[in-house]
């Protein structure tokens, strides 16, 4: 499989599921469009990333049967998207904003499989998975300690649930791995449908060789 992302977390999640990966990050303009909702934004970015790397899949040199691209965002009930913090002060601002509240983590995922019979040379499916995350009320000491750990610096929303950021989280509703960066369970099912392998989930459980 070709992974159109440089996220180490997505790579780790897919490798744990049994995929042999070629990493080919996409370089696109990720600017949010006027009146675009967070869910629309993340779905569009995933599709654009996939199409930007499609030529790698179609030339066949990687031996890949599929390509996956994904994008994850954190957003609040007002529709504000919280990206990666610009600096430690910005990280602290985001954490205070999330404190005691429920926010949303949405991942858009786009899958492509070669098919010369369709326009563009590949079949496509995409989806957006959203998980609701509720934070504890954070003290200033907790915010300062977490910022000082350095963990927020490259994380959307200024936290990583798979690291020390888990201590900030009171509850989640939805797919935990989606918050990490990729809803692998749903992705494997969608991929199985796309490439016509109804037993792909069973193979992933068994991990009997590369899946795609």
């Amino acid at each position: 499989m070709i992974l159109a992302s440089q996220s180490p977390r997505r790579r780790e999640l897919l490798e744990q599921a049994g995929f042999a990966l070629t990493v080919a990050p996409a370089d696109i303009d990720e600017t949010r469009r006027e009146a675009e909702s967070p869910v629309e934004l993340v779905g569009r970015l995933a599709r654009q990333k996939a199409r930007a790397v499609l030529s790698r899949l179609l030339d066949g040199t990687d031996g890949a049967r599929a390509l996956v691209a994904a994008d994850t965002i954190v957003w609040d009930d007002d529709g504000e998207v919280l990206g990666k913090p610009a600096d430690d002060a910005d990280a602290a601002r985001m954490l205070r904003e999330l404190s005691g509240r429920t926010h949303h983590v949405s991942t858009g995922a786009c899958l492509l499989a070669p098919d010369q019979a369709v326009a563009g040379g590949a079949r496509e499916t995409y989806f957006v998975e959203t998980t609701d995350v509720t934070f504890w009320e954070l003290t200033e000491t907790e915010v300062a300690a977490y910022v000082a750990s350095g963990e927020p610096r490259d994380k959307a929303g200024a936290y990583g649930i798979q690291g020390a950021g888990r201590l900030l989280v009171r509850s989640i509703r939805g797919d935990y791995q989606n918050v990490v960066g990729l809803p692998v369970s749903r992705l494997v099912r969608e991929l199985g449908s796309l490439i016509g392998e109804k037993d792909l989930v069973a193979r992933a459980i068994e991990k009997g060789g590369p899946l795609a």
Side-chain angles (χ1 to χ4, degrees):
M1 174 184 280
I2 295 173
L3 174 61
S5 170
Q6 59 185 357
S7 165
R9 291 169 291 279
R10 292 193 186 111
R11 179 171 187 169
E12 181 179 6
L13 288 170
L14 287 170
E15 289 177 338
Q16 287 173 349
F19 290 95
L21 300 176
T22 296
V23 178
D27 183 15
I28 65 168
D29 180 0
E30 300 188 19
T31 303
R32 186 178 182 181
R33 294 174 179 172
E34 185 176 357
E36 190 173 41
S37 73
V39 170
E40 291 170 336
L41 168 65
V42 79
R44 175 177 62 82
L45 293 179
R47 296 181 76 190
Q48 285 186 209
K49 287 180 178 181
R51 289 289 167 179
V53 184
L54 176 60
S55 61
R56 286 285 299 271
L57 178 64
L58 297 182
D59 70 17
T61 57
D62 292 302
R65 298 171 56 203
L67 179 151
V68 60
D71 195 82
T72 301
I73 59 171
V74 175
W75 54 285
D76 62 20
D77 286 337
D78 297 324
E80 179 187 357
V81 173
L82 304 177
K84 296 177 182 178
D87 50 32
D88 285 353
D90 194 33
R93 176 193 65 81
M94 289 186 190
L95 293 168
R96 293 187 192 103
E97 182 174 335
L98 298 176
S99 174
R101 299 176 60 191
T102 297
H103 61 275
H104 317 284
V105 181
S106 292
T107 298
C110 181
L111 291 157
L112 300 177
D115 188 342
Q116 294 303 317
V118 302
R123 284 172 283 120
E124 174 187 309
T125 188
Y126 77 98
F127 63 89
V128 176
E129 185 77 17
T130 299
T131 302
D132 298 331
V133 181
T134 303
F135 267 25
W136 294 96
E137 290 279 357
L138 306 180
T139 67
E140 281 299 310
T141 301
E142 290 167 348
V143 170
Y146 188 56
V147 170
S149 76
E151 191 172 276
R153 291 172 189 161
D154 67 339
K155 308 290 194 304
Y159 77 97
I161 196 170
Q162 72 278 14
R166 71 188 64 171
L167 300 176
L168 314 180
V169 175
R170 181 169 187 167
S171 64
I172 69 169
R173 186 176 65 184
D175 187 335
Y176 167 81
Q177 290 190 325
N178 184 52
V179 185
V180 178
L182 195 66
V184 176
S185 175
R186 182 173 177 182
L187 185 141
V188 173
R189 285 164 170 78
E190 297 278 353
L191 177 61
S193 296
L194 183 67
I195 65 177
E197 287 203 20
K198 63 180 181 180
D199 295 326
L200 193 62
V201 172
R203 288 184 55 211
I205 293 170
E206 295 167 353
K207 295 184 180 177
L211 298 182

